């Protein structure tokens, strides 16, 4: 894969695509050495006529090519969408400085670790889906939390705040891997904006306040780093409060200078190891030292003349594709009543989850085959009745994360999702302001204690990066979507492809949340989001108990491009604002905000 014309990697690939920038080649149309094509002895008129014909023919070819493929002189433009306007601005500034989609995604998520520490941080993990539209090649960088070597089979899932729920963090090594292989700008440059924000301070968002409320912290002793950070002087942080993170700024400076190993290596990891061990975690120096990201091929399907690319297990991609298979079998059309449409969502999400969760205890060697079997089976499910899964089915804790979607000036796309598991992860926090994940609470009881092959496997989660491209038209609609919640992505893609909504409309449509194995359906009741119509609510309640979903809601952030037209949208549920790099004049660019 080539990102910004500087790096390559193997991944899923198709035919060679022409891009909007490919009319003018980097090589000459004709050899540079002189050719004597006009040397006709003794006939000056013939020489002039021949040269004139060649010139006009070449001009005509270039003109036709420009009409077909667009102008090669288009001012560079791109977009980034996150859950925080300031972090979208950081990303677009990196793009304006010549960074590609990977650079932008890395800088943006680093910013999110500062302002949304409840959702993402160096103690967390994630996934990055990278697509180069010029070569039609994709790859997935998997930096999900690893299972410690000393992990033993448990009779029950560890609770989210149990130290045994902490997996080996993958965020920094994953970002460094992606940047080293695909990035353009220096590693240190990507850290600079976040260091400034952490040191100078920022305003607490509504999302952080709502996450604190949802965490149900009932007693604060003011002793732990968690209490000192989020309950200063015993008072919970609220939206609009001013927050500075000097200790975290110092940590970021060290990582910017020395790389991800400064977090994982023993000479800087003593603090982290002590904090982990004191809270019952099973992580040792060996786990941090040997953790490595994994580059995987993406999985994909064709739907409504579009290719849908996503990440394989342990991420939410298999459930997404299985659900889309079910929805395709339902023969959804724009003429169906909305109640039928949401009924189909219920069926697709419940049934696809039942298959997806079967991958939770799969060993790495058989994971791909099991995924293929799930997708094959889902294409045959045509029963239109909504059937509840076994109430004893294994349930993943409600996942949260930060998501970043990018289309850059080189026509490269990135969907990134990274998080701590549930809000605030395990709540184990170091003096440097690092919260650790609780991803091992996503693991069911298993039968692989002490198995070296099982160690450093990845627990199942619902992080879902998606890239959509037009099968037939190179410059047709392309979309980048990212979310911690696969059910939300299923609904957005369905609104986009089955209902024909625009990206903005598809993201902002009312959504439902389904809990596996239960007859409960949760609906949003947020003032800035259109509520679910009464006819749909009535239809749902005939077979389900309807409940209100409490804030904060999982968001889906997206960017789309059709020909040269960009649309960027940060989901109102996440509270963010997207930014675009747009041509303002012949010689300047303008950073615009998606309102």
């Amino acid at each position: 894969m080539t990102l910004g014309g500087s790096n390559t990697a193997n991944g899923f690939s198709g035919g060679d695509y022409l891009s909007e920038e490919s009319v003018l080649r980097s090589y000459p149309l004709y050899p540079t050495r002189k050719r004597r094509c006009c040397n006709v002895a003794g006939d000056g008129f013939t020489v002039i006529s021949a040269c004139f014909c060649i010139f006009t023919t070449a001009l005509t070819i270039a003109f036709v090519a420009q009409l077909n493929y667009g102008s090669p002189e288009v001012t560079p433009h791109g977009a980034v969408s996150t859950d925080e306007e300031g972090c979208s601005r950081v990303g677009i500034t990196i793009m304006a400085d010549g960074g590609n989609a990977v650079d932008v995604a890395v800088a943006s998520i680093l910013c999110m670790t500062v302002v949304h520490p409840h959702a993402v941080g160096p103690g967390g993990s994630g996934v990055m889906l990278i697509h180069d539209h010029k070569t039609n090649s994709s790859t997935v960088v998997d930096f999900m939390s690893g299972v410690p070597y000393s992990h033993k089979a448990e009779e029950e899932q560890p609770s989210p705040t149990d130290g045994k729920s902490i997996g080996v963090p993958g965020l920094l090594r994953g970002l460094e891997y992606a940047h080293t292989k695909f990035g353009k700008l220096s590693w240190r440059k990507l850290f600079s904006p976040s260091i400034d924000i952490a040191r100078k301070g920022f305003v607490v968002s509504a999302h952080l306040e709502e996450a604190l409320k949802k965490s149900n912290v009932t007693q604060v002793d003011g002793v732990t780093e968690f209490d000192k950070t989020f309950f200063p002087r015993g008072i919970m942080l609220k939206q609009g409060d001013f927050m500075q993170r000097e200790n975290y700024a110092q940590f970021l400076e060290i990582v910017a200078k020395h790389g991800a190993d400064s977090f994982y290596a023993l000479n800087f990891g003593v603090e982290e190891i002590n904090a982990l061990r004191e809270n019952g975690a099973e992580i040792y120096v060996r786990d941090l030292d040997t953790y490595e990201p994994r580059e995987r091929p993406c999985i994909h399907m064709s739907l409504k003349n579009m290719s849908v690319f996503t990440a394989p297990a342990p991420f939410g991609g298999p459930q997404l594709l299985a659900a889309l298979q079910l929805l395709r079998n339902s023969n959804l059309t724009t003429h169906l009543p909305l109640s039928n449409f949401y009924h189909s969502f219920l069926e697709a999400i419940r049934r696809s989850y039942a298959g997806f969760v079967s991958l939770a205890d799969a060993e790495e060697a058989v994971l791909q085959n099991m995924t293929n079997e799930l997708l094959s089976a889902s294409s045959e499910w045509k029963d239109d009745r909504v059937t509840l899964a076994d109430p004893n089915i294994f349930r993943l804790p409600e996942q949260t994360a930060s998501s970043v979607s990018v289309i850059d000036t080189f026509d490269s796309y990135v969907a990134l999702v990274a998080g701590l598991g549930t809000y605030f992860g395990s709540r184990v926090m170091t003096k440097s302001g690092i919260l650790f994940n609780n991803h091992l609470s996503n693991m069911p009881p298993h039968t692989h204690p002490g198995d070296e092959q099982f160690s450093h496997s990845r627990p199942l989660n619902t992080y879902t990066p998606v890239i959509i491209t037009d099968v037939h038209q190179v410059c047709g609609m392309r979309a980048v979507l990212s979310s911690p919640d696969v059910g939300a992505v299923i609904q957005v893609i369905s609104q986009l492809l089955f209902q024909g909504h625009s990206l903005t409309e598809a993201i902002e449509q009312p959504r439902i949340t389904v809990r596996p194995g239960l007859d409960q359906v949760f609906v949003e009741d947020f003032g800035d989001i259109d509520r679910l119509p009464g006819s749909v609510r009535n239809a749902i309640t005939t077979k389900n108990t309807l409940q209100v979903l409490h804030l904060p809601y999982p968001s889906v952030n997206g960017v789309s491009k059709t020909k040269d037209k960009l649309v960027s949208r940060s989901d109102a549920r996440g509270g963010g604002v997207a930014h675009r790099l747009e041509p303002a004049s012949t010689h300047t660019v303008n950073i615009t905000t998606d309102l």
Side-chain angles (χ1 to χ4, degrees):
M1 181 187 309
T2 302
L3 286 180
S6 60
N7 300 291
T8 60
N10 293 325
F12 175 86
S13 62
D16 293 332
Y17 275 11
L18 290 173
S19 75
E20 292 125 343
E21 291 85 5
S22 62
V23 178
L24 293 184
R25 312 292 180 177
S26 58
Y27 52 85
L29 187 61
Y30 300 108
T32 54
R33 66 181 179 88
K34 292 184 179 180
R35 301 189 59 168
R36 305 181 68 85
C37 60
C38 294
N39 188 19
V40 181
D43 190 349
F45 179 77
T46 303
V47 171
I48 295 173
S49 299
C51 291
F52 180 76
C53 289
I54 292 172
F55 173 76
T56 54
T57 301
L59 190 63
T60 301
I61 291 172
F63 180 69
V64 171
Q66 185 176 15
L67 289 177
N68 286 333
Y69 298 114
S71 172
E73 302 297 337
V74 174
T75 304
H77 61 302
V80 57
S81 176
T82 75
D83 284 328
E84 180 65 40
E85 180 181 2
C87 295
S88 296
R89 187 182 301 112
V90 164
I92 213 68
T93 301
I94 291 294
M95 190 183 297
D97 288 343
N100 64 15
V102 169
D103 295 322
V104 171
V106 170
S108 299
I109 204 68
L110 287 172
C111 174
M112 293 302 299
T113 69
V114 176
V115 301
H116 277 196
H118 60 290
V120 63
S125 305
V127 59
M128 184 185 293
L129 173 59
I130 309 168
H131 179 82
D132 188 328
H133 194 57
K134 293 179 181 178
T135 60
N136 191 32
S137 57
S138 302
T139 194
V140 173
V141 180
D142 168 3
F143 48 99
M144 189 58 196
S145 297
V147 179
Y149 287 109
S150 62
H151 182 73
K152 299 296 189 296
E154 301 289 342
E155 293 182 359
E156 299 179 353
Q157 293 173 250
S159 72
T161 55
D162 186 336
K164 292 182 178 180
S165 70
I166 302 175
V168 184
L171 181 77
L172 291 176
R173 278 231 172 99
L175 297 182
E176 186 177 61
Y177 176 93
H179 171 263
T180 299
K181 191 163 186 178
F182 303 113
K184 289 188 64 183
L185 302 182
S186 71
W187 176 250
R188 295 185 68 169
K189 184 176 182 66
L190 307 183
F191 279 75
S192 181
S194 298
I195 293 170
D196 287 343
I197 293 170
R199 179 158 287 137
K200 295 176 181 177
F202 56 93
V203 175
V204 172
S205 68
H207 205 276
L208 174 52
E209 179 186 349
E210 294 296 342
L212 282 167
K213 292 177 181 177
K214 201 167 189 175
S215 66
N216 294 321
V217 176
T218 56
Q219 186 174 357
V220 180
D221 57 22
V223 175
T224 66
E225 294 301 324
F226 183 90
D227 290 348
K228 293 176 184 176
T229 302
F230 300 108
F231 295 85
R233 299 177 301 281
I235 302 173
M236 187 187 81
L237 289 174
K238 292 182 173 56
Q239 179 183 4
D241 289 348
F242 187 72
M243 186 179 185
Q244 290 176 286
R245 302 186 65 194
E246 174 61 35
N247 54 349
Y248 188 61
Q250 293 174 4
F251 167 79
L252 290 179
E253 285 181 331
I254 293 172
V255 178
K257 183 177 180 180
H258 300 289
D261 279 348
S262 58
F263 172 70
Y264 292 88
L266 181 61
N267 62 350
F268 190 72
V270 172
E271 178 189 340
E272 285 71 29
I273 289 291
N274 289 342
L276 292 169
R277 302 298 299 163
E278 288 172 2
N279 287 274
E282 300 171 319
I283 297 176
Y284 289 87
V285 172
R286 177 191 179 194
D287 295 301
L288 294 173
D289 187 50
T290 59
Y291 178 89
E292 292 182 355
R294 297 172 180 172
E295 191 171 348
R296 303 173 180 270
C298 67
I299 57 177
H300 71 286
M301 68 178 292
S302 294
L303 179 68
K304 307 286 285 186
N305 295 320
M306 306 297 288
S307 290
V308 180
F309 301 90
T310 187
F315 305 102
Q319 183 184 357
L320 169 67
L321 298 191
L324 292 177
Q325 292 264 35
L326 290 167
L327 290 167
R328 175 164 58 188
N329 294 343
S330 300
N331 296 318
L332 298 180
T333 68
T334 55
H335 303 295
L336 276 178
L338 275 180
S339 57
N340 293 48
F341 213 74
Y342 282 88
H343 169 90
S344 297
F345 289 158
L346 283 172
E347 176 188 5
I349 293 171
R350 280 177 174 154
R351 292 190 175 203
S352 60
Y353 179 85
F356 173 61
V357 77
S358 68
L359 306 176
D361 199 22
E363 296 185 51
E364 191 73 23
V366 299
L367 190 58
Q368 186 61 50
N369 287 338
M370 291 183 66
T371 301
N372 292 337
E373 290 172 4
L374 167 63
L375 298 181
S376 296
S378 64
S379 65
E380 300 173 0
W381 296 339
K382 296 183 179 179
D383 188 351
D384 62 358
R385 292 173 299 173
V386 175
T387 56
L388 292 178
D390 181 350
N392 297 316
I393 193 171
F394 168 65
R395 297 173 190 163
L396 289 171
E398 181 184 356
Q399 300 293 286
T400 188
S402 288
S403 58
V404 180
S405 296
V406 185
I407 290 180
D408 71 10
T409 61
F410 308 105
D411 229 8
S412 297
Y413 314 148
V414 165
L416 167 64
V417 188
L420 299 171
T422 60
Y423 288 112
F424 302 100
S426 62
R427 299 187 191 172
V428 176
M429 194 173 194
T430 71
K431 293 180 180 179
S432 295
I434 298 168
L435 279 163
F436 285 95
N437 69 83
N438 55 13
H439 282 130
L440 298 194
S441 62
N442 294 10
M443 297 180 66
H446 56 79
T447 57
H448 309 276
D451 187 339
E452 283 287 318
Q453 184 179 10
F454 183 70
S455 297
H456 276 201
S457 63
R458 312 302 209 222
L460 204 65
N461 70 92
T462 58
Y463 296 174
T464 311
V466 182
I467 291 172
I468 302 172
T469 63
D470 193 302
V471 172
H472 301 299
Q473 300 183 45
V474 177
C475 298
M477 195 273 286
R478 296 89 84 196
V480 182
L481 301 168
S482 55
S483 176
D485 183 53
V486 62
V489 179
I490 290 168
Q491 294 174 72
V492 170
I493 293 179
S494 299
Q495 299 280 6
L496 192 66
L497 300 186
F498 292 114
Q499 285 285 75
H501 287 303
S502 67
L503 177 73
T504 298
E505 292 170 333
I507 288 175
E508 299 302 339
Q509 287 295 307
R511 295 202 288 262
I512 56 175
T513 299
V514 183
R515 296 283 185 258
L518 303 175
D519 64 352
Q520 298 172 332
V521 177
F522 294 82
V523 296
E524 301 163 338
D525 193 23
F526 188 37
D528 291 340
I529 298 174
D530 292 337
R531 291 177 173 82
L532 206 62
S535 60
V536 177
R537 288 177 178 243
N538 293 338
I540 292 175
T541 54
T542 59
K543 296 182 180 180
N544 303 273
T545 301
L546 209 60
Q547 296 191 21
V548 174
L549 184 68
H550 297 293
L551 292 168
Y553 302 145
S555 63
V556 180
N557 294 321
V559 180
S560 70
K561 186 177 183 181
T562 304
K563 294 186 178 179
D564 280 323
K565 181 180 179 181
L566 276 169
V567 175
S568 54
R569 187 67 183 184
S570 287
D571 198 332
R573 297 164 181 84
V577 175
H579 277 264
R580 292 190 299 272
L581 187 65
E582 296 278 20
S585 68
T586 305
H587 302 290
T588 64
V589 293
N590 182 37
I591 297 177
T592 63
T593 301
D594 173 31
L595 297 175

